[in-house]
Amino acid sequence: RARQQALAPLREAMQRTTQLCQQLLSLPSGAAAGAVSQYAFTRFGDPHDPQSTSAQWALGYCPPNLLEVATQCGTATQAQLTELGLLAEGNLGPYTPFADRLIIPIRDAQGYTVSWAGRLVESPNTRPLSQQAKYINTKNTPLFTKRAVLFGLCAARGLAAKTRELYLVEGYADCMRLHALGAFNTVARMGTALTREQIGLLAPIAERVYIIPDTDAPGLKAARTSALALLEAGIVPTIPPRPTAPSRTPTPTSTPPRTSSTSASTTRPTSC
């Protein structure tokens, strides 16, 4: 409890800064922000629509001058941004690695935003996509340990606790799209094979996990490794045929990727 109280100011700074980026996505200014906003609109729906994937997952845009904007708006101090992994020190001073990226907030099982993923979007301000990582994450911080978090768990745990089933996907976008399809019991790994800590999060709420891997060699290898780890923990792993990704964000009442009456719900979770 004492540790949680000590982390409270840092949690609040992360939450306020995430909300700031969400506002910047909704009201883009400049070519780079416009490109990110258009990408989010096309892939995840209108940020102004509370029922859209963009709004449900609090997607945002990070400006290159994050330090200046955040301090002016009073969302966080330079020290807090650095401790949260949102700022780094460069030859010319502090900068944000997330500049001009689509921000995908990562929440822990309790619903606190603890980290960011940043998705690169091509714009006049960015180097060629081939020269940069498509996704980046904040490094481990006092709020975030990568191996101990599952993306989407906060939103998935309610239905999973009822059905005792979960979908496990590779990436953030896959997870968000399956939630939009109605498969609210979907979580994503954090870019690594399933860890002991992550299995510890799954075990209390799931007896079966449907693994939907990327179809490349690393994705299939990670799926096999995850399946073995789940078996050792007493959880039944299944690797079903991969569903076809939708071409646009469907409504929350669209047909879920399984026909089982116990695996999907038409009521969107509201806890996160």
Side-chain angles (χ1 to χ4, degrees):
R1 182 178 178 83
R3 183 175 185 274
Q4 293 301 317
Q5 290 177 340
L7 291 177
L10 210 55
R11 290 189 189 279
E12 293 170 4
M14 172 61 91
Q15 184 65 26
R16 290 193 300 265
T17 306
T18 301
Q19 290 172 344
L20 172 63
C21 291
Q22 187 179 14
Q23 294 169 3
L24 294 175
L25 182 69
S26 299
L27 300 169
S29 175
V36 173
S37 182
Q38 182 60 39
Y39 175 86
F41 182 92
T42 302
R43 293 288 300 272
F44 303 114
D46 186 353
H48 295 95
D49 178 3
Q51 293 301 313
S52 73
T53 299
S54 287
Q56 290 286 335
W57 296 87
L59 304 185
Y61 164 75
C62 180
N65 59 338
L66 176 65
L67 173 58
E68 178 184 353
V69 175
T71 52
Q72 285 181 352
C73 295
T75 64
T77 65
Q78 180 174 339
Q80 287 174 326
L81 292 172
T82 301
E83 194 170 9
L84 290 167
L86 309 184
L87 281 185
E89 193 65 36
N91 294 333
L92 301 178
Y95 72 98
T96 176
F98 294 91
D100 292 326
R101 287 179 179 262
L102 176 70
I103 299 305
I104 304 171
I106 297 172
R107 301 182 176 107
D108 63 13
Q110 288 70 47
Y112 293 109
T113 299
V114 294
S115 177
W116 284 358
R119 206 283 187 190
L120 185 66
V121 177
E122 190 168 15
S123 76
N125 289 9
T126 60
R127 300 194 308 275
L129 299 186
S130 60
Q131 297 179 13
Q132 301 183 73
K134 181 185 291 187
Y135 284 97
I136 61 172
N137 294 95
T138 51
K139 297 179 180 180
N140 288 349
T141 71
L143 297 185
F144 174 66
T145 302
K146 186 176 183 179
R147 62 182 298 110
V149 173
L150 284 164
F151 180 76
L153 181 60
C154 174
R157 63 190 305 177
L159 181 58
K162 294 177 182 178
T163 64
R164 309 298 295 173
E165 296 178 345
L166 272 170
Y167 290 100
L168 178 66
V169 297
E170 180 78 16
Y172 313 114
D174 288 338
C175 182
M176 292 187 289
R177 281 197 292 266
L178 284 179
H179 274 256
L181 282 167
F184 302 130
N185 52 337
T186 301
V187 297
R189 296 186 290 107
M190 298 294 296
T192 62
L194 204 60
T195 67
R196 182 180 303 175
E197 292 86 347
Q198 290 168 337
I199 292 174
L201 296 172
L202 298 178
I205 60 173
E207 297 172 359
R208 180 183 295 273
V209 172
Y210 295 89
I211 303 172
I212 305 177
D214 282 354
T215 54
D216 57 12
L220 295 174
K221 180 180 179 181
R224 290 191 291 269
T225 302
S226 296
L228 291 173
L230 289 167
L231 276 174
E232 290 178 359
I235 301 172
V236 179
T238 300
I239 305 180
R242 186 177 177 84
T244 302
S247 59
R248 59 185 176 85
T249 302
T251 60
T253 55
S254 298
T255 304
R258 291 184 68 234
T259 56
S260 169
S261 61
T262 63
S263 64
S265 166
T266 57
T267 304
R268 183 181 294 275
T270 58
S271 59
C272 300

